[in-house]
């Protein structure tokens, strides 16, 4: 279980790295709102990693940090970014589901309980990415539409999830 949780920490930090890269690329291209949205996402993913780290420590375990794989640095369009986001979050959902399976097999009820928050979080993550992707498809080809969406995504504000400062 500990090994699988450590692998998840690496995956959450890689997610953070991916969204930081998207935020930077959006900034370069003048999409300030999209850059903000991914900057918030970057912080949230670091929180996810932190929650797992705190949890391992609280159980008397050992956190092992592994190298992060490289991330893509440029995307063709905002829609391509959100498409990659949705694909990635679906992968993370499968990883969380797998952690639940391991916890179940090992009769590790405390970890299974801890994972419930992440199960719910993944439903939200996929929904958010899908909603924004749908909006981008709706306005496809309209600079005005893209401008409006960028403005809306600029309003996203970071809030630390419960459990991150345990
Ligand atoms: Mg995450």
């Amino acid at each position: 279980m500990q090994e699988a949780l450590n692998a998840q920490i690496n995956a959450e930090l890689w997610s953070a790295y991916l969204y930081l890269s998207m935020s930077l690329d959006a900034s370069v291209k003048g999409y300030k709102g999209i850059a903000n949205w991914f900057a918030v996402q970057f912080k949230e993913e670091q929180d996810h990693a932190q929650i797992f780290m705190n949890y391992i420590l609280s159980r008397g375990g050992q956190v092992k940090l592994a190298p992060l794989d490289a991330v893509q640095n440029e995307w063709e369009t905002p829609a391509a970014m959100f498409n990659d986001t949705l694909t990635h979050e679906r992968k993370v959902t499968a990883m969380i589901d797998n952690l639940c399976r391991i916890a179940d097999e090992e009769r590790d009820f405390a970890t299974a309980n801890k994972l419930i928050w992440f199960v719910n979080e993944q439903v939200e993550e996929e929904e958010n990415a899908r909603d924004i992707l749908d909006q981008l498809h709706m306005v496809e080809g309209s600079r005005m539409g893209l401008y409006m969406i960028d403005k809306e995504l600029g309003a996203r504000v970071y809030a630390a999830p419960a459990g991150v400062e345990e």
Side-chain angles (χ1 to χ4, degrees), residues 8 11-13 15-16 19 41 44-49 52 88-89 92-93 96 117-118 121-122 125:
Q8 190 65 34
E12 299 293 346
L13 290 174
S15 300
Y19 297 140
Q41 199 69 10
E44 277 197 1
E45 297 304 338
Q46 292 177 79
D47 289 340
H48 295 167
F52 280 118
H88 178 63
E89 288 302 331
V92 174
T93 299
I96 297 288
W117 185 87
F118 286 92
E121 175 71 9
Q122 283 312 119
E125 296 280 33

Side-chain angles (χ1 to χ4, degrees), residues 54-113:
N54 291 349
Y55 177 68
I56 290 175
L57 292 175
S58 76
R59 298 298 304 276
Q62 191 185 6
V63 175
K64 286 183 187 165
L65 298 179
L68 294 174
D69 289 338
V71 286
Q72 193 174 322
N73 287 307
E74 268 191 86
W75 283 262
E76 202 71 45
T77 60
M81 262 183 204
F82 282 96
N83 194 51
D84 282 4
T85 299
L86 180 58
T87 303
H88 178 63
E89 288 302 331
R90 283 176 174 153
K91 225 170 83 184
V92 174
T93 299
M95 291 182 76
I96 297 288
D97 289 351
N98 191 48
L99 289 177
C100 291
R101 188 186 55 74
I102 295 168
D104 207 45
E105 277 171 12
E106 296 188 4
R107 302 276 189 275
D108 184 344
F109 302 119
T111 301
N113 187 51

